[in-house]
Amino acid sequence: MKKFAHDFKVVGNNPLNARHFVLELQAPVPLPEILPGQFVQVLVHNSPSTFLRRPFSVHFADYSKNTLSLLVQIKGEGTRHMGMLKTGDTLNLVYPLGNSFSAPSSGKVLLVGGGAGVAPLMIMGDYLNRKNIRPDFLVGFRSADEVSQMDQYARYGKVYLSTDDGSMGEKGFVTQHPVFATSPLPYDRICCCGPDAMMHAVAKLAAAKGVACEVSLENFMACGYGVCLCCITQTDTGNERVCIEGPVFETSRLKW
Amino acid sequence: MKKFAHDFKVVGNNPLNARHFVLELQAPVPLPEILPGQFVQVLVHNSPSTFLRRPFSVHFADYSKNTLSLLVQIKGEGTRHMGMLKTGDTLNLVYPLGNSFSAPSSGKVLLVGGGAGVAPLMIMGDYLNRKNIRPDFLVGFRSADEVSQMDQYARYGKVYLSTDDGSMGEKGFVTQHPVFATSPLPYDRICCCGPDAMMHAVAKLAAAKGVACEVSLENFMACGYGVCLCCITQTDTGNERVCIEGPVFETSRLKW
Amino acid sequence: MQFKNPVTTASGCFGYGEEFKDFYDLGLLGGIFVKAVTGSNRPGNKYPRMAETASGMLNSVGLQNKGVDNFCKVIYPKIKDFNTQIIVNVSGSTIEEYVMVAERINELENIPAIELNISCPNVKEGGMAFGVVPSTATEVTRAVRGVYKKVLMVKLSPNVTSICEMAKAVVDGGADVLTLINTLLGMAVDAETRRPVISTITGGLSGPAIKPVALRMVWQVFKAVDVPIVGLGGIMNTTDAIEFMLAGASVIQVGTANFIDPMVAPKIAEGINEYLDRHNIASARDIVGALKVC
Amino acid sequence: MQFKNPVTTASGCFGYGEEFKDFYDLGLLGGIFVKAVTGSNRPGNKYPRMAETASGMLNSVGLQNKGVDNFCKVIYPKIKDFNTQIIVNVSGSTIEEYVMVAERINELENIPAIELNISCPNVKEGGMAFGVVPSTATEVTRAVRGVYKKVLMVKLSPNVTSICEMAKAVVDGGADVLTLINTLLGMAVDAETRRPVISTITGGLSGPAIKPVALRMVWQVFKAVDVPIVGLGGIMNTTDAIEFMLAGASVIQVGTANFIDPMVAPKIAEGINEYLDRHNIASARDIVGALKVC
Ligand SMILES: Cc1cc2nc3c(=O)[nH]c(=O)nc-3n(C[C@H](O)[C@H](O)[C@H](O)COP(=O)(O)OP(=O)(O)OC[C@H]3O[C@@H](n4cnc5c(N)ncnc54)[C@H](O)[C@@H]3O)c2cc1C
Ligand SMILES: Cc1cc2nc3c(=O)[nH]c(=O)nc-3n(C[C@H](O)[C@H](O)[C@H](O)COP(=O)(O)OP(=O)(O)OC[C@H]3O[C@@H](n4cnc5c(N)ncnc54)[C@H](O)[C@@H]3O)c2cc1C
Ligand SMILES: Cc1cc2nc3c(=O)[nH]c(=O)nc-3n(C[C@H](O)[C@H](O)[C@H](O)COP(=O)(O)O)c2cc1C
Ligand SMILES: Cc1cc2nc3c(=O)[nH]c(=O)nc-3n(C[C@H](O)[C@H](O)[C@H](O)COP(=O)(O)O)c2cc1C
Ligand code: FES
Ligand code: FES
């Protein structure tokens, strides 16, 4: 698939809460189709401590406005800089990168996300809707003050919510949510993105219940397009590049 | 003399022309007295290619507003960044650094400057006025479109002007200006700051006419406060640090 | 052998070139130095394999590749008709392995040269060990020279007391061209977890951070030995490339910079032409080693 | 000898301490390593002496100083009562010169230690030459050990194939403490003028660019020899300092960072305390070499 490096224009920077924001970026040329689960590599200008690009999942693509958006959690220098971007600023992106969540043509899909890992669920919801599938969402946050975009997910499907402290939705981790209580599970496929611990727990649960499960890994990357071999994860077919063969993997293939 | 490192607030950024601007910076604590010829070391944040601080002469100090200003010529990455600073931004300065032009208690003084080298002439004019001396100014620019601040110099003394291309004032280098045509010169002292070639020419002329002359050197600096020994110039007493024993030197002492 | 322009891409930073076809026409490049090839399949080192550092990065990939047999049968057919020079980076743990790989690559018609990697800091055996002792470096070069009939380049390690001594040693062994430099051995620590950042503790430092060391070595070797030099280490833009050529590099490689800007190599090729025009210099050859030192 | 805290300032980056009295109370520092002192007056190298590089700088000061006699008579009286440890960085071009300087410094009551600089890359004779050959390093250390009765530190050059071999060589010669690292030999070129940027063509690279190399060497030497290590190379902040301590440095030096932020050294001293508090660690000593590697 053709890849590009372009200066995007910041057309929106919307804080969700103290640690998360959504950047809306307009492409200088017509966007190619972006698949759910694909990511971009962002060049953080003007910072001596951010030498390498930073990878972010595409949160949403709006072809009518020719924009993509990123949902970003502030971690260090790079994401802090991104958080200060203003409308009119530019940001250089390499895109579109990586594979994507698989797209069942029918069946019931559960999209599970936690923290900034919810990012790709939105574009996935949109994508599934366009295939006439309404997925369920199960999103987990630390507490009520980090819960956001519930109405937007709701446009694409039913939304379940967990918070670690129980301040909103179910209390506890997503895997403790009643959605997972039934056996067999009413899903043909689970797609999950979130902290490592969450993905492991969900993968284990899915395996136990015999449901196909995909996760989107966030390994450290230098290039993002398959040439440095820094981002590898062990699979049943050996070391695979998370940036090319992934970031989405069938959990049954992973040795993690 | 006590030295400080503080975040100053940008309270003005006034372009003089395409390559020069004046930054007005407010100190967070009451400014100490700044002597004419002293300089500051500016930390250019947020740029991977500007590791070291950048030295700039103090252009003016306004104790009533607790501000200093810098007159900056855009050369490379560092000065380009400084040019984009906006009111409200902060800039870290180490100050006040270096010695100063000598302050005669009487007599006739000629202040000569070219390009960004005019920067310290303004604070020197103000300083001499407060000692009841009205200096003459001789300022040189490339062409009319770089001529600026003439009315401000005129507040402190008589102003002569040269441009390289003759598009305003006398044509040619400052040393070709009629001011220098008479013998003996009607000055007891010349203070000069500008490109190396200009300072050399003025120093030679002053020596030939027997007038005391000081120049402000712009050697490459790493620290700016005397500890790295990178900025040295050869003098009659050996290698001296331009940042401590200078930047102002009596030209008779220099072996340059 | 001829390069259509002095800009090539460094081994390990450009895969086998195929990934970059998604970005631009590979014909814009002078050449491509492909990822290290060893005698047999190597899974490489454990994850994590990289750390970001000030103006640079550490890597510890550990020569992951599927071995020379796979290279000849699977990869070579896919890349042999790229409209640019393809040079294979040959690595190993023993002299025999280097020789075996070189012998196999020698048979590949469209590969005009190999680059002997005696400088990889990220493998336990062999690798850099060959590149830091002059006599061993001569020995491995000579052994490969015995079987390899085309252009033999040797890539030197900067982790030595005297780069000139190493350069002479491999030229004695029969090297036609010297590539310098590989990565500096470095380390990164996570102060919060109190652990090393990469799985092998130490790794190879690349990027602009090492450019001053690389330039110095190119210059020292340019004055000391009389073979062409391929220069690299932190080249991010045209100016950097020109600096290496002035210091003595006939050809330059772009490594880590490919990760920051995938389009950078053709931009540099273009930029060199603009530089030559602006300075009224007829050919890139005229600036090689043209540093004015008095 | 005792340092009141592990934060000291590096030779050549802090003058004789006097200039920094304009910024803060020197009593906040663990110690000050003053600028190199040689046998007699040295004017140093020609201007220009520095070049900015990516996350670092090159310098080529060339040991400018007024000689040991001037140090003892003029400088020592001004600095001897600073409320911190003062260590003299001893340099020379011959073994005799090192010995002579060490002998004179030995007489100065308030100087508890010297740091033998066998690693300066910026002088034609001596300097680094002593620091890259193990036998010579042993010899000069042993000769100085013969006359110097207090704590003998030796500062090593990173421009070597095996830092451990050098470390062992100077410990054999009688070193009590090792300082590492000095600058990496580098070079800068001005592509527009086609000239070297500094007068001596090559110079010493310092700053964050070299931190990965410095950390690696501290860690290697920490595992290989059993004397305390003073670690430096690109330390800009508390996190960097902690990293060096985890890798094995008992004391750290702040060098080039003093040029970027003159207040940085006391900030780091303060920051280390906060780190220890936050991690519930009783004493800075407890993190020295405490890197978890499994
Ligand atoms: C495929 C992929 C998709 C991602 N999608 C998102 C997303 O949609 N939203 C989001 O907020 N985050 C996402 N991340 C994580 C994001 O890339 C990191 O949080 C970001 O790089 C941190 O940069 P920083 O400069 O702020 O932090 P730093 O100060 O550099 O580091 C803070 C922490 O971030 C992590 N990190 C640093 N560099 C990298 C790197 N090169 N690759 C991966 N992790 C790194 C490390 O854990 C590090 O300790 C994704 C990562 C990957 C690999
Ligand atoms: C005491 C002193 C006072 C000065 N006063 C003024 C002033 O009032 N106004 C003004 O416009 N300029 C002044 N300068 C020059 C100014 O410091 C440089 O133009 C500036 O550092 C360039 O930075 P840059 O990042 O834009 O350029 P860079 O891209 O770093 O370099 C462009 C050119 O600037 C010069 N330069 C770079 N670094 C330094 C350095 N550390 N020290 C000196 N020169 C350097 C070099 O010639 C270089 O080729 C002064 C310099 C000194 C030493
Ligand atoms: C991720 C990575 C992998 C590398 N793999 C190899 C390799 O397989 N063989 C080799 O000779 N050099 C390898 N290198 C070294 C580079 O080819 C180059 O010598 C070094 O990175 C310095 O150049 P740079 O600063 O331009 O990247 C690798 C470098 C990186 C960053
Ligand atoms: C301008 C300058 C002058 C130096 N002079 C000396 C010196 O006289 N003696 C010495 O042992 N090291 C000298 N050094 C090396 C430093 O002490 C230190 O080893 C090196 O800079 C690496 O540390 P840093 O990256 O923290 O600066 C000098 C370094 C610089 C930048
Ligand atoms: S990040 Fe380079 S191969 Fe995946
Ligand atoms: S700039 Fe460091 S001594 Fe002058």
Side-chain angles (χ1 to χ4, degrees):
Chain A
M1 189 177 343
K2 267 215 104 29
K3 295 176 183 136
F4 308 91
H6 283 136
D7 279 338
F8 279 59
K9 203 161 81 197
V10 177
V11 293
N13 183 344
N14 308 310
L16 299 179
N17 52 56
R19 295 195 306 142
H20 298 84
F21 57 94
V22 173
L23 267 189
E24 197 181 346
L25 303 164
Q26 193 168 50
V29 296
L31 279 174
E33 197 195 348
I34 311 280
L35 300 173
Q38 287 195 304
F39 66 100
V40 300
Q41 278 274 57
V42 171
L43 186 64
V44 183
H45 284 287
N46 300 339
S47 162
S49 63
T50 50
F51 174 65
L52 297 168
R53 285 178 184 259
R54 302 293 192 255
F56 296 92
S57 302
V58 174
H59 177 50
F60 196 72
D62 186 334
Y63 301 99
S64 68
K65 295 199 278 173
N66 206 36
T67 59
L68 7 121
S69 43
L70 309 178
L71 190 164
V72 180
Q73 174 170 14
I74 295 175
K75 275 275 190 96
E77 205 46 26
T79 45
R80 195 155 34 233
H81 259 84
M82 289 170 67
M84 297 184 315
L85 288 171
K86 295 190 187 69
T87 302
D89 289 344
T90 59
L91 197 65
N92 191 274
L93 263 56
V94 177
Y95 69 101
L97 303 172
N99 68 354
S100 61
F101 288 109
S102 8
S105 51
S106 67
K108 195 78 195 131
V109 180
L110 177 66
L111 305 180
V112 185
V118 298
L121 303 192
M122 194 73 79
I123 186 171
M124 182 64 172
D126 182 51
Y127 180 85
L128 290 173
N129 275 200
R130 282 189 280 129
K131 298 210 153 212
N132 296 314
I133 297 176
R134 276 187 77 80
D136 285 358
F137 292 87
L138 169 55
V139 291
F141 297 98
R142 294 213 295 211
S143 69
D145 54 329
E146 298 210 336
V147 175
S148 54
Q149 302 182 293
M150 299 302 283
D151 47 337
Q152 293 174 55
Y153 294 115
R155 274 193 255 153
Y156 303 112
K158 190 170 159 76
V159 187
Y160 299 102
L161 172 69
S162 286
T163 54
D164 295 358
D165 62 1
S167 50
M168 198 168 165
E170 293 292 324
K171 181 183 164 101
F173 301 126
V174 287
T175 42
Q176 297 169 308
H177 194 280
V179 157
F180 285 120
T182 60
S183 255
L185 283 179
Y187 297 106
D188 301 299
R189 173 167 287 281
I190 298 175
C191 300
C192 176
C193 184
D196 260 10
M198 174 194 279
M199 293 195 289
H200 272 103
V202 170
K204 207 171 141 192
L205 222 157
K209 307 243 177 181
V211 178
C213 179
E214 283 178 335
V215 291
S216 177
L217 301 184
E218 299 200 348
N219 283 16
F220 294 156
M221 295 184 173
C223 68
Y225 20 92
V227 300
C228 75
L229 307 184
C230 286
C231 62
I232 53 102
T233 191
Q234 272 189 287
T235 72
D236 53 3
T237 53
N239 280 338
E240 301 261 35
R241 296 166 298 181
V242 169
C243 68
I244 289 268
E245 281 83 37
V248 178
F249 291 91
E250 198 72 50
T251 53
S252 59
R253 294 194 48 218
L254 289 175
K255 302 185 173 170
W256 52 333
Chain B
M1 188 181 342
K2 265 210 108 29
K3 296 176 182 133
F4 308 91
H6 282 134
D7 278 338
F8 279 58
K9 203 162 79 199
V10 176
V11 292
N13 183 347
N14 308 309
L16 299 180
N17 51 59
R19 296 196 307 141
H20 298 85
F21 57 93
V22 173
L23 267 189
E24 197 179 344
L25 302 164
Q26 191 166 54
V29 297
L31 279 174
E33 197 195 350
I34 312 280
L35 300 174
Q38 286 195 308
F39 67 100
V40 300
Q41 277 276 58
V42 171
L43 186 64
V44 183
H45 285 289
N46 298 340
S47 163
S49 64
T50 51
F51 174 66
L52 298 167
R53 285 179 183 258
R54 302 294 192 253
F56 295 92
S57 302
V58 173
H59 177 51
F60 196 72
D62 186 334
Y63 301 99
S64 68
K65 295 198 280 175
N66 206 36
T67 59
L68 11 119
S69 43
L70 310 177
L71 189 165
V72 179
Q73 173 170 12
I74 296 175
K75 278 272 192 98
E77 206 44 29
T79 46
R80 199 160 24 238
H81 259 84
M82 289 170 69
M84 297 184 315
L85 288 170
K86 296 192 186 65
T87 302
D89 289 343
T90 58
L91 196 66
N92 191 274
L93 264 54
V94 177
Y95 69 102
L97 303 171
N99 69 353
S100 60
F101 288 108
S102 8
S105 51
S106 67
K108 196 77 194 131
V109 180
L110 176 67
L111 305 180
V112 184
V118 299
L121 304 191
M122 195 73 81
I123 186 171
M124 182 64 172
D126 182 54
Y127 181 86
L128 290 173
N129 276 201
R130 282 190 278 128
K131 298 209 149 210
N132 295 314
I133 296 176
R134 276 187 78 79
D136 287 357
F137 291 87
L138 169 54
V139 291
F141 297 98
R142 294 214 293 211
S143 69
D145 55 324
E146 297 210 337
V147 174
S148 57
Q149 300 183 298
M150 299 302 284
D151 48 334
Q152 292 175 54
Y153 294 115
R155 275 193 254 152
Y156 303 112
K158 190 171 161 69
V159 187
Y160 299 103
L161 172 69
S162 286
T163 54
D164 294 359
D165 63 1
S167 53
M168 197 168 166
E170 295 289 324
K171 181 185 164 103
F173 301 128
V174 289
T175 43
Q176 298 169 305
H177 194 279
V179 156
F180 283 121
T182 60
S183 255
L185 284 180
Y187 297 107
D188 300 302
R189 173 166 287 281
I190 298 175
C191 301
C192 176
C193 185
D196 261 9
M198 174 193 279
M199 293 196 289
H200 271 102
V202 170
K204 208 171 138 192
L205 220 159
K209 307 245 177 180
V211 178
C213 178
E214 282 178 340
V215 291
S216 177
L217 301 184
E218 297 200 350
N219 283 16
F220 294 157
M221 295 181 174
C223 68
Y225 21 92
V227 300
C228 75
L229 308 185
C230 286
C231 62
I232 52 99
T233 191
Q234 272 189 289
T235 72
D236 54 0
T237 53
N239 280 338
E240 300 261 35
R241 296 167 296 183
V242 169
C243 69
I244 289 269
E245 282 83 38
V248 178
F249 291 92
E250 198 72 51
T251 53
S252 59
R253 292 193 50 217
L254 288 175
K255 300 185 175 171
W256 53 336
Chain C
M1 70 182 287
Q2 295 291 328
F3 291 92
K4 72 176 96 164
N5 70 54
V7 180
T8 68
T9 54
S11 179
C13 303
F14 209 72
Y16 302 105
E18 292 181 290
E19 288 82 1
F20 275 82
K21 282 197 295 186
D22 291 342
F23 288 112
Y24 56 81
D25 171 9
L26 299 177
L28 297 171
L29 297 174
I32 297 173
F33 289 74
V34 301
K35 176 73 192 161
V37 174
T38 56
S40 52
N41 179 59
R42 290 181 77 113
N45 295 327
K46 279 219 203 96
Y47 180 84
R49 293 177 172 186
M50 69 132 216
E52 190 178 42
T53 65
S55 298
M57 64 174 282
L58 290 169
N59 88 81
S60 179
V61 171
L63 301 180
Q64 175 179 336
N65 79 105
K66 295 210 163 81
V68 68
D69 204 56
N70 179 272
F71 180 81
C72 295
K73 292 185 184 143
V74 180
I75 297 166
Y76 175 69
K78 290 194 232 167
I79 68 177
K80 74 182 180 52
D81 296 319
F82 286 170
N83 178 24
T84 188
Q85 301 281 24
I86 307 287
I87 295 112
V88 175
N89 185 262
V90 169
S91 297
S93 302
T94 61
I95 294 191
E96 294 66 37
E97 184 177 358
Y98 278 106
V99 169
M100 187 273 262
V101 177
E103 231 169 343
R104 292 291 307 274
I105 305 294
N106 191 53
E107 293 158 17
L108 304 178
E109 196 178 355
N110 291 3
I111 306 289
I114 58 171
E115 179 181 64
L116 212 60
N117 176 11
I118 57 169
S119 42
C120 179
N122 299 326
V123 287
K124 282 222 181 62
E125 291 138 43
M128 194 169 84
F130 286 102
V132 299
V133 181
S135 57
T136 330
T138 307
E139 199 182 345
V140 63
T141 309
R142 185 165 293 145
V144 169
R145 177 77 292 178
V147 301
Y148 191 72
K149 305 306 174 195
K150 301 185 232 172
V151 176
L152 175 56
M153 305 178 168
V154 179
K155 184 164 176 184
L156 299 180
S157 169
N159 301 293
V160 295
T161 307
S162 168
I163 193 71
C164 292
E165 203 185 337
M166 294 308 306
K168 286 177 187 152
V170 301
V171 170
D172 279 355
D176 299 315
V177 174
L178 298 175
T179 301
L180 33 132
I181 62 177
N182 211 314
T183 52
L184 280 165
L185 192 62
M187 172 173 166
V189 168
D190 184 326
E192 289 305 309
T193 62
R194 279 175 258 164
R195 295 188 179 281
V197 179
I198 55 184
S199 68
T200 48
I201 307 179
T202 61
L205 182 63
S206 63
I210 70 170
K211 192 183 77 167
V213 174
L215 269 177
R216 183 261 296 182
M217 290 188 166
V218 167
W219 171 244
Q220 287 179 323
V221 169
F222 176 76
K223 287 185 304 167
V225 301
D226 209 26
V227 299
I229 295 172
V230 178
L232 79 159
I235 295 178
M236 298 295 284
N237 53 41
T238 302
T239 309
D240 295 337
I242 299 287
E243 290 169 18
F244 274 81
M245 296 179 75
L246 290 168
S250 302
V251 166
I252 62 101
Q253 289 181 8
V254 180
T256 304
N258 290 301
F259 309 159
I260 313 303
D261 177 7
M263 312 298 285
V264 71
K267 280 185 198 162
I268 293 176
E270 182 57 29
I272 291 176
N273 286 334
E274 282 162 19
Y275 177 92
L276 295 175
D277 283 352
R278 188 156 49 80
H279 287 262
N280 252 309
I281 297 168
S283 147
R285 231 169 288 128
D286 299 336
I287 61 170
V288 174
L291 192 70
K292 302 179 207 158
V293 292
C294 48
Chain D
M1 70 182 291
Q2 295 291 327
F3 291 91
K4 75 176 91 161
N5 70 54
V7 180
T8 68
T9 55
S11 179
C13 304
F14 209 72
Y16 302 104
E18 292 182 290
E19 288 82 0
F20 274 82
K21 283 197 295 186
D22 292 341
F23 288 111
Y24 56 80
D25 170 11
L26 299 177
L28 296 170
L29 297 173
I32 298 172
F33 289 75
V34 301
K35 176 74 192 161
V37 175
T38 56
S40 51
N41 179 60
R42 289 181 78 113
N45 294 328
K46 280 219 201 98
Y47 179 84
R49 292 180 171 182
M50 70 133 214
E52 192 178 40
T53 65
S55 297
M57 64 175 280
L58 290 168
N59 88 82
S60 178
V61 171
L63 301 180
Q64 175 179 337
N65 80 104
K66 295 209 163 78
V68 68
D69 203 58
N70 179 272
F71 180 81
C72 295
K73 290 182 183 146
V74 180
I75 298 165
Y76 176 68
K78 290 195 233 168
I79 69 178
K80 74 184 182 52
D81 295 321
F82 286 169
N83 179 23
T84 188
Q85 300 283 24
I86 307 288
I87 294 110
V88 176
N89 184 261
V90 169
S91 298
S93 304
T94 62
I95 295 191
E96 293 69 36
E97 185 178 357
Y98 278 107
V99 169
M100 189 272 261
V101 176
E103 231 171 342
R104 293 290 307 276
I105 306 294
N106 192 50
E107 292 159 17
L108 303 178
E109 196 179 353
N110 291 6
I111 307 289
I114 58 171
E115 179 180 62
L116 213 58
N117 175 11
I118 58 169
S119 43
C120 178
N122 299 325
V123 288
K124 283 220 182 61
E125 292 139 42
M128 196 170 81
F130 286 102
V132 298
V133 181
S135 58
T136 329
T138 307
E139 199 183 346
V140 62
T141 309
R142 186 166 292 144
V144 168
R145 179 77 292 176
V147 302
Y148 191 73
K149 305 306 173 195
K150 302 184 234 173
V151 175
L152 176 56
M153 306 178 169
V154 179
K155 184 167 179 182
L156 298 180
S157 169
N159 302 292
V160 295
T161 307
S162 168
I163 194 71
C164 292
E165 201 185 340
M166 294 307 308
K168 286 177 189 151
V170 302
V171 170
D172 280 353
D176 299 315
V177 174
L178 297 175
T179 302
L180 33 134
I181 63 175
N182 209 315
T183 52
L184 279 166
L185 192 61
M187 173 171 164
V189 169
D190 183 326
E192 289 303 310
T193 62
R194 281 176 258 162
R195 295 186 178 284
V197 180
I198 55 182
S199 68
T200 48
I201 306 178
T202 61
L205 181 64
S206 64
I210 71 170
K211 191 184 78 169
V213 174
L215 270 176
R216 181 261 296 184
M217 291 188 167
V218 167
W219 171 245
Q220 288 180 321
V221 169
F222 176 76
K223 287 184 303 167
V225 301
D226 208 27
V227 299
I229 293 172
V230 177
L232 78 157
I235 296 175
M236 297 296 284
N237 53 42
T238 301
T239 309
D240 295 336
I242 299 288
E243 290 168 20
F244 274 81
M245 296 178 74
L246 290 168
S250 302
V251 166
I252 61 100
Q253 290 181 8
V254 180
T256 305
N258 291 298
F259 309 159
I260 314 303
D261 178 5
M263 312 297 287
V264 71
K267 279 185 200 163
I268 293 177
E270 181 59 28
I272 290 175
N273 286 335
E274 282 162 19
Y275 176 93
L276 296 174
D277 282 353
R278 186 156 50 82
H279 287 262
N280 253 310
I281 297 167
S283 145
R285 230 167 291 129
D286 299 335
I287 60 169
V288 175
L291 192 70
K292 302 180 208 157
V293 291
C294 47

